Amino acid sequence: MLTIPASMLIHLVTVEPYVGVGPSGPVYGPAVTVRCLKEDCTRLVRGPDGDEVVSSATFYALPGTVAPAKSRVRLPGGWRTTVIAFIDADGGHLGTPNHVEVQLL
C-alpha cells in the first residue's frame, strides 16, 4: 500500500472527533494529535448536508485518521476550526498514495 511519505507530514493538528449530539449539545471524542500536511487554500466544497461551503484550509494525513464532518480541529498557531468534509482517498492499484483529505471551515 502506497501512502504519503512521512517526510511530507510536517504539521501537527489536534482533532476532537465528532461523535454525535447529546442532551446538552454536540459530543466529541478525546483529542488526538495528527501529523499532516496543511494547505491554506480557499475553495468551494460540499458540506455534509449537501450545501456548498467555502473551505479555508485542508489537511492531508495517513489512512486511518479519523476526523468526521463537524469534528473540532486546532491548527498550528492555535487557530480552531471545524471539519466540513472528510474524504478517504484510496489510490487502489493506480500507484497514487492512499491518504485522507480533511476540508476545514
Side-chain angles (χ1 to χ4, degrees):
M1 173 172 77
L2 180 64
T3 61
I4 297 174
S7 61
M8 291 181 63
L9 305 177
I10 58 174
H11 301 108
L12 292 176
V13 298
T14 303
V15 177
E16 295 174 67
Y18 179 75
V19 176
V21 178
S24 42
V27 177
Y28 299 93
V32 177
T33 300
V34 176
R35 292 183 55 87
C36 65
L37 175 64
K38 182 180 73 78
E39 174 187 34
D40 294 319
C41 180
T42 303
R43 69 178 102 183
L44 196 59
V45 299
R46 292 235 181 249
D49 54 4
D51 289 342
E52 291 184 338
V53 182
V54 176
S55 170
S56 60
T58 301
F59 76 78
Y60 305 92
L62 293 175
T65 300
V66 176
K70 301 182 184 177
S71 296
R72 295 190 292 203
V73 178
R74 182 180 295 246
L75 299 172
W79 184 45
R80 294 179 147 243
T81 187
T82 305
V83 174
I84 299 169
F86 174 86
I87 301 163
D88 189 3
D90 183 349
H93 300 291
L94 297 176
T96 58
N98 296 338
H99 64 283
V100 297
E101 179 178 336
V102 182
Q103 299 166 340
L104 305 169
L105 192 56

